[in-house]
mmCIF file of all heavy atoms in Angstrom:
data_model
loop_
_atom_site.group_PDB
_atom_site.id
_atom_site.type_symbol
_atom_site.label_atom_id
_atom_site.label_comp_id
_atom_site.label_asym_id
_atom_site.label_seq_id
_atom_site.Cartn_x
_atom_site.Cartn_y
_atom_site.Cartn_z
ATOM 1 N N ILE A 285 -7.765 -11.713 -5.998
ATOM 2 C CA ILE A 285 -7.536 -10.262 -5.996
ATOM 3 C C ILE A 285 -6.834 -9.804 -4.724
ATOM 4 O O ILE A 285 -6.719 -8.625 -4.450
ATOM 5 C CB ILE A 285 -8.852 -9.466 -6.198
ATOM 6 C CG1 ILE A 285 -9.890 -9.809 -5.133
ATOM 7 C CG2 ILE A 285 -9.411 -9.705 -7.573
ATOM 8 C CD1 ILE A 285 -11.135 -8.965 -5.238
ATOM 9 N N GLN A 286 -6.363 -10.772 -3.941
ATOM 10 C CA GLN A 286 -5.479 -10.506 -2.817
ATOM 11 C C GLN A 286 -6.023 -9.410 -1.885
ATOM 12 O O GLN A 286 -5.388 -8.384 -1.644
ATOM 13 C CB GLN A 286 -4.081 -10.151 -3.325
ATOM 14 C CG GLN A 286 -3.520 -11.237 -4.225
ATOM 15 C CD GLN A 286 -2.040 -11.043 -4.484
ATOM 16 O OE1 GLN A 286 -1.344 -10.386 -3.720
ATOM 17 N NE2 GLN A 286 -1.537 -11.640 -5.548
ATOM 18 N N ASN A 287 -7.226 -9.650 -1.390
ATOM 19 C CA ASN A 287 -7.820 -8.731 -0.410
ATOM 20 C C ASN A 287 -7.913 -7.299 -0.921
ATOM 21 O O ASN A 287 -7.456 -6.352 -0.307
ATOM 22 C CB ASN A 287 -7.032 -8.756 0.896
ATOM 23 C CG ASN A 287 -7.119 -10.104 1.578
ATOM 24 O OD1 ASN A 287 -8.179 -10.734 1.583
ATOM 25 N ND2 ASN A 287 -6.027 -10.568 2.120
ATOM 26 N N GLU A 288 -8.537 -7.150 -2.080
ATOM 27 C CA GLU A 288 -8.629 -5.848 -2.738
ATOM 28 C C GLU A 288 -9.192 -4.772 -1.826
ATOM 29 O O GLU A 288 -8.706 -3.656 -1.776
ATOM 30 C CB GLU A 288 -9.495 -5.973 -3.993
ATOM 31 C CG GLU A 288 -9.737 -4.654 -4.682
ATOM 32 C CD GLU A 288 -11.153 -4.522 -5.184
ATOM 33 O OE1 GLU A 288 -11.871 -5.522 -5.180
ATOM 34 O OE2 GLU A 288 -11.516 -3.400 -5.565
ATOM 35 N N THR A 289 -10.256 -5.108 -1.056
ATOM 36 C CA THR A 289 -10.921 -4.093 -0.254
ATOM 37 C C THR A 289 -10.008 -3.522 0.816
ATOM 38 O O THR A 289 -9.959 -2.318 1.031
ATOM 39 C CB THR A 289 -12.171 -4.681 0.419
ATOM 40 O OG1 THR A 289 -13.066 -5.121 -0.584
ATOM 41 C CG2 THR A 289 -12.865 -3.644 1.271
ATOM 42 N N VAL A 290 -9.260 -4.390 1.513
ATOM 43 C CA VAL A 290 -8.474 -3.894 2.635
ATOM 44 C C VAL A 290 -7.113 -3.381 2.214
ATOM 45 O O VAL A 290 -6.473 -2.643 2.945
ATOM 46 C CB VAL A 290 -8.298 -4.989 3.721
ATOM 47 C CG1 VAL A 290 -9.636 -5.386 4.289
ATOM 48 C CG2 VAL A 290 -7.584 -6.202 3.171
ATOM 49 N N SER A 291 -6.628 -3.742 1.041
ATOM 50 C CA SER A 291 -5.263 -3.358 0.713
ATOM 51 C C SER A 291 -5.114 -1.861 0.443
ATOM 52 O O SER A 291 -4.062 -1.304 0.725
ATOM 53 C CB SER A 291 -4.721 -4.175 -0.465
ATOM 54 O OG SER A 291 -5.484 -4.020 -1.614
ATOM 55 N N SER A 292 -6.139 -1.201 -0.064
ATOM 56 C CA SER A 292 -6.045 0.262 -0.208
ATOM 57 C C SER A 292 -5.888 0.908 1.162
ATOM 58 O O SER A 292 -5.107 1.848 1.342
ATOM 59 C CB SER A 292 -7.300 0.816 -0.909
ATOM 60 O OG SER A 292 -7.257 0.569 -2.282
ATOM 61 N N THR A 293 -6.608 0.377 2.142
ATOM 62 C CA THR A 293 -6.482 0.875 3.510
ATOM 63 C C THR A 293 -5.089 0.591 4.051
ATOM 64 O O THR A 293 -4.470 1.442 4.701
ATOM 65 C CB THR A 293 -7.543 0.207 4.410
ATOM 66 O OG1 THR A 293 -8.836 0.483 3.882
ATOM 67 C CG2 THR A 293 -7.452 0.731 5.832
ATOM 68 N N LYS A 294 -4.565 -0.600 3.777
ATOM 69 C CA LYS A 294 -3.221 -0.946 4.243
ATOM 70 C C LYS A 294 -2.172 -0.052 3.590
ATOM 71 O O LYS A 294 -1.198 0.354 4.230
ATOM 72 C CB LYS A 294 -2.920 -2.408 3.917
ATOM 73 C CG LYS A 294 -3.650 -3.414 4.791
ATOM 74 C CD LYS A 294 -3.256 -4.825 4.398
ATOM 75 C CE LYS A 294 -3.937 -5.859 5.275
ATOM 76 N NZ LYS A 294 -3.579 -7.244 4.868
ATOM 77 N N ILE A 295 -2.362 0.250 2.318
ATOM 78 C CA ILE A 295 -1.410 1.106 1.612
ATOM 79 C C ILE A 295 -1.421 2.502 2.217
ATOM 80 O O ILE A 295 -0.369 3.097 2.464
ATOM 81 C CB ILE A 295 -1.733 1.165 0.110
ATOM 82 C CG1 ILE A 295 -1.526 -0.204 -0.539
ATOM 83 C CG2 ILE A 295 -0.857 2.205 -0.593
ATOM 84 C CD1 ILE A 295 -2.186 -0.352 -1.890
ATOM 85 N N ARG A 296 -2.607 3.037 2.460
ATOM 86 C CA ARG A 296 -2.697 4.373 3.062
ATOM 87 C C ARG A 296 -2.023 4.389 4.431
ATOM 88 O O ARG A 296 -1.322 5.340 4.782
ATOM 89 C CB ARG A 296 -4.161 4.807 3.181
ATOM 90 C CG ARG A 296 -4.841 5.042 1.842
ATOM 91 C CD ARG A 296 -6.245 5.611 2.020
ATOM 92 N NE ARG A 296 -6.992 5.483 0.779
ATOM 93 C CZ ARG A 296 -8.053 4.709 0.618
ATOM 94 N NH1 ARG A 296 -8.525 4.014 1.647
ATOM 95 N NH2 ARG A 296 -8.664 4.644 -0.543
ATOM 96 N N LYS A 297 -2.240 3.329 5.215
ATOM 97 C CA LYS A 297 -1.616 3.242 6.538
ATOM 98 C C LYS A 297 -0.097 3.209 6.411
ATOM 99 O O LYS A 297 0.610 3.918 7.145
ATOM 100 C CB LYS A 297 -2.111 1.986 7.264
ATOM 101 C CG LYS A 297 -1.587 1.831 8.691
ATOM 102 C CD LYS A 297 -2.218 0.630 9.370
ATOM 103 C CE LYS A 297 -1.790 0.534 10.842
ATOM 104 N NZ LYS A 297 -0.347 0.254 10.981
ATOM 105 N N ALA A 298 0.410 2.414 5.479
ATOM 106 C CA ALA A 298 1.856 2.338 5.289
ATOM 107 C C ALA A 298 2.424 3.693 4.873
ATOM 108 O O ALA A 298 3.484 4.116 5.356
ATOM 109 C CB ALA A 298 2.186 1.271 4.244
ATOM 110 N N LEU A 299 1.726 4.394 3.982
ATOM 111 C CA LEU A 299 2.187 5.703 3.544
ATOM 112 C C LEU A 299 2.147 6.717 4.686
ATOM 113 O O LEU A 299 3.068 7.530 4.839
ATOM 114 C CB LEU A 299 1.344 6.193 2.367
ATOM 115 C CG LEU A 299 1.548 5.442 1.045
ATOM 116 C CD1 LEU A 299 0.516 5.899 0.016
ATOM 117 C CD2 LEU A 299 2.964 5.649 0.510
ATOM 118 N N HIS A 300 1.088 6.674 5.488
ATOM 119 C CA HIS A 300 1.000 7.579 6.640
ATOM 120 C C HIS A 300 2.173 7.363 7.598
ATOM 121 O O HIS A 300 2.633 8.294 8.264
ATOM 122 C CB HIS A 300 -0.315 7.360 7.385
ATOM 123 C CG HIS A 300 -1.472 8.126 6.817
ATOM 124 N ND1 HIS A 300 -1.509 9.498 6.762
ATOM 125 C CD2 HIS A 300 -2.651 7.703 6.278
ATOM 126 C CE1 HIS A 300 -2.650 9.898 6.219
ATOM 127 N NE2 HIS A 300 -3.352 8.831 5.911
ATOM 128 N N GLU A 301 2.652 6.119 7.658
ATOM 129 C CA GLU A 301 3.758 5.779 8.559
ATOM 130 C C GLU A 301 5.118 5.958 7.900
ATOM 131 O O GLU A 301 6.151 5.737 8.537
ATOM 132 C CB GLU A 301 3.595 4.336 9.041
ATOM 133 C CG GLU A 301 2.355 4.132 9.911
ATOM 134 C CD GLU A 301 2.079 2.671 10.212
ATOM 135 O OE1 GLU A 301 2.750 1.795 9.611
ATOM 136 O OE2 GLU A 301 1.205 2.392 11.054
ATOM 137 N N GLY A 302 5.132 6.323 6.630
ATOM 138 C CA GLY A 302 6.393 6.497 5.925
ATOM 139 C C GLY A 302 7.036 5.195 5.483
ATOM 140 O O GLY A 302 8.202 5.179 5.059
ATOM 141 N N ASP A 303 6.297 4.105 5.545
ATOM 142 C CA ASP A 303 6.830 2.801 5.137
ATOM 143 C C ASP A 303 6.608 2.626 3.632
ATOM 144 O O ASP A 303 5.687 1.938 3.189
ATOM 145 C CB ASP A 303 6.157 1.674 5.925
ATOM 146 C CG ASP A 303 6.896 0.348 5.791
ATOM 147 O OD1 ASP A 303 7.672 0.197 4.820
ATOM 148 O OD2 ASP A 303 6.700 -0.531 6.658
ATOM 149 N N ILE A 304 7.453 3.275 2.863
ATOM 150 C CA ILE A 304 7.304 3.292 1.413
ATOM 151 C C ILE A 304 7.461 1.899 0.812
ATOM 152 O O ILE A 304 6.735 1.525 -0.117
ATOM 153 C CB ILE A 304 8.335 4.257 0.783
ATOM 154 C CG1 ILE A 304 8.140 5.678 1.329
ATOM 155 C CG2 ILE A 304 8.234 4.241 -0.735
ATOM 156 C CD1 ILE A 304 6.789 6.293 1.027
ATOM 157 N N GLN A 305 8.397 1.131 1.328
ATOM 158 C CA GLN A 305 8.646 -0.193 0.762
ATOM 159 C C GLN A 305 7.445 -1.111 0.928
ATOM 160 O O GLN A 305 7.107 -1.878 0.023
ATOM 161 C CB GLN A 305 9.902 -0.798 1.382
ATOM 162 C CG GLN A 305 11.183 -0.070 0.951
ATOM 163 C CD GLN A 305 12.385 -0.491 1.742
ATOM 164 O OE1 GLN A 305 12.429 -0.319 2.963
ATOM 165 N NE2 GLN A 305 13.376 -1.041 1.071
ATOM 166 N N LYS A 306 6.794 -1.038 2.080
ATOM 167 C CA LYS A 306 5.597 -1.854 2.279
ATOM 168 C C LYS A 306 4.479 -1.394 1.348
ATOM 169 O O LYS A 306 3.795 -2.209 0.723
ATOM 170 C CB LYS A 306 5.117 -1.778 3.734
ATOM 171 C CG LYS A 306 3.864 -2.603 3.999
ATOM 172 C CD LYS A 306 3.359 -2.443 5.434
ATOM 173 C CE LYS A 306 4.236 -3.184 6.398
ATOM 174 N NZ LYS A 306 3.649 -3.186 7.782
ATOM 175 N N ALA A 307 4.298 -0.083 1.239
ATOM 176 C CA ALA A 307 3.263 0.448 0.348
ATOM 177 C C ALA A 307 3.526 0.017 -1.091
ATOM 178 O O ALA A 307 2.606 -0.397 -1.812
ATOM 179 C CB ALA A 307 3.217 1.980 0.445
ATOM 180 N N ASN A 308 4.777 0.100 -1.522
ATOM 181 C CA ASN A 308 5.118 -0.288 -2.891
ATOM 182 C C ASN A 308 4.871 -1.767 -3.139
ATOM 183 O O ASN A 308 4.488 -2.161 -4.252
ATOM 184 C CB ASN A 308 6.583 0.049 -3.183
ATOM 185 C CG ASN A 308 6.830 1.541 -3.302
ATOM 186 O OD1 ASN A 308 5.892 2.333 -3.393
ATOM 187 N ND2 ASN A 308 8.097 1.940 -3.308
ATOM 188 N N ALA A 309 5.086 -2.584 -2.117
ATOM 189 C CA ALA A 309 4.843 -4.025 -2.271
ATOM 190 C C ALA A 309 3.357 -4.291 -2.492
ATOM 191 O O ALA A 309 2.980 -5.117 -3.338
ATOM 192 C CB ALA A 309 5.333 -4.773 -1.035
ATOM 193 N N TYR A 310 2.494 -3.601 -1.749
ATOM 194 C CA TYR A 310 1.044 -3.748 -1.943
ATOM 195 C C TYR A 310 0.613 -3.205 -3.306
ATOM 196 O O TYR A 310 -0.254 -3.767 -3.975
ATOM 197 C CB TYR A 310 0.277 -3.012 -0.850
ATOM 198 C CG TYR A 310 0.245 -3.706 0.491
ATOM 199 C CD1 TYR A 310 0.650 -3.045 1.641
ATOM 200 C CD2 TYR A 310 -0.205 -5.020 0.607
ATOM 201 C CE1 TYR A 310 0.619 -3.666 2.878
ATOM 202 C CE2 TYR A 310 -0.243 -5.644 1.840
ATOM 203 C CZ TYR A 310 0.169 -4.967 2.973
ATOM 204 O OH TYR A 310 0.127 -5.589 4.189
ATOM 205 N N LEU A 311 1.210 -2.086 -3.695
ATOM 206 C CA LEU A 311 0.827 -1.455 -4.950
ATOM 207 C C LEU A 311 1.279 -2.269 -6.162
ATOM 208 O O LEU A 311 0.652 -2.245 -7.217
ATOM 209 C CB LEU A 311 1.443 -0.053 -5.054
ATOM 210 C CG LEU A 311 0.832 1.036 -4.173
ATOM 211 C CD1 LEU A 311 1.744 2.255 -4.141
ATOM 212 C CD2 LEU A 311 -0.557 1.429 -4.672
ATOM 213 N N ASP A 312 2.407 -2.960 -6.007
ATOM 214 C CA ASP A 312 3.061 -3.643 -7.131
ATOM 215 C C ASP A 312 3.660 -2.627 -8.101
ATOM 216 O O ASP A 312 3.891 -2.920 -9.259
ATOM 217 C CB ASP A 312 2.090 -4.580 -7.856
ATOM 218 C CG ASP A 312 2.798 -5.561 -8.773
ATOM 219 O OD1 ASP A 312 3.895 -5.999 -8.410
ATOM 220 O OD2 ASP A 312 2.259 -5.883 -9.850
ATOM 221 N N HIS A 313 3.874 -1.425 -7.625
ATOM 222 C CA HIS A 313 4.620 -0.388 -8.327
ATOM 223 C C HIS A 313 4.978 0.679 -7.302
ATOM 224 O O HIS A 313 4.508 0.620 -6.168
ATOM 225 C CB HIS A 313 3.812 0.231 -9.484
ATOM 226 C CG HIS A 313 2.530 0.873 -9.060
ATOM 227 N ND1 HIS A 313 1.292 0.293 -9.242
ATOM 228 C CD2 HIS A 313 2.271 2.052 -8.436
ATOM 229 C CE1 HIS A 313 0.348 1.073 -8.764
ATOM 230 N NE2 HIS A 313 0.916 2.152 -8.274
ATOM 231 N N GLN A 314 5.796 1.625 -7.685
ATOM 232 C CA GLN A 314 6.184 2.664 -6.738
ATOM 233 C C GLN A 314 5.064 3.687 -6.530
ATOM 234 O O GLN A 314 4.351 4.035 -7.472
ATOM 235 C CB GLN A 314 7.446 3.380 -7.234
ATOM 236 C CG GLN A 314 8.731 2.775 -6.733
ATOM 237 C CD GLN A 314 9.628 2.338 -7.876
ATOM 238 O OE1 GLN A 314 9.344 2.587 -9.038
ATOM 239 N NE2 GLN A 314 10.715 1.661 -7.555
ATOM 240 N N TYR A 315 4.939 4.136 -5.290
ATOM 241 C CA TYR A 315 4.079 5.279 -4.994
ATOM 242 C C TYR A 315 4.603 6.479 -5.781
ATOM 243 O O TYR A 315 5.817 6.707 -5.851
ATOM 244 C CB TYR A 315 4.103 5.565 -3.494
ATOM 245 C CG TYR A 315 3.539 6.919 -3.098
ATOM 246 C CD1 TYR A 315 2.168 7.113 -2.976
ATOM 247 C CD2 TYR A 315 4.387 7.992 -2.849
ATOM 248 C CE1 TYR A 315 1.658 8.357 -2.623
ATOM 249 C CE2 TYR A 315 3.891 9.232 -2.491
ATOM 250 C CZ TYR A 315 2.523 9.410 -2.383
ATOM 251 O OH TYR A 315 2.028 10.636 -2.042
ATOM 252 N N ILE A 316 3.696 7.221 -6.389
ATOM 253 C CA ILE A 316 4.123 8.316 -7.265
ATOM 254 C C ILE A 316 3.451 9.636 -6.907
ATOM 255 O O ILE A 316 2.389 9.665 -6.270
ATOM 256 C CB ILE A 316 3.830 8.017 -8.757
ATOM 257 C CG1 ILE A 316 2.317 7.837 -8.991
ATOM 258 C CG2 ILE A 316 4.627 6.813 -9.233
ATOM 259 C CD1 ILE A 316 1.928 7.744 -10.472
#
């Protein structure tokens, strides 16, 4: 499950920083 617990936190951090591409890679789809 590829670090399910921490990846939501990583996604939020990437979004807070405006790093959309990194967030999308973790999500496996585009942020919407």
Side-chain angles (χ1 to χ4, degrees):
I285 57 175
Q286 304 192 22
N287 295 321
E288 175 220 349
T289 299
V290 298
S291 59
S292 283
T293 302
K294 286 181 178 179
I295 294 163
R296 293 186 195 114
K297 183 175 185 294
L299 290 172
H300 275 298
E301 295 171 351
D303 194 340
I304 301 298
Q305 291 169 299
K306 180 183 286 188
N308 289 348
Y310 284 126
L311 287 167
D312 195 36
H313 60 257
Q314 269 122 6
Y315 165 81
I316 61 171

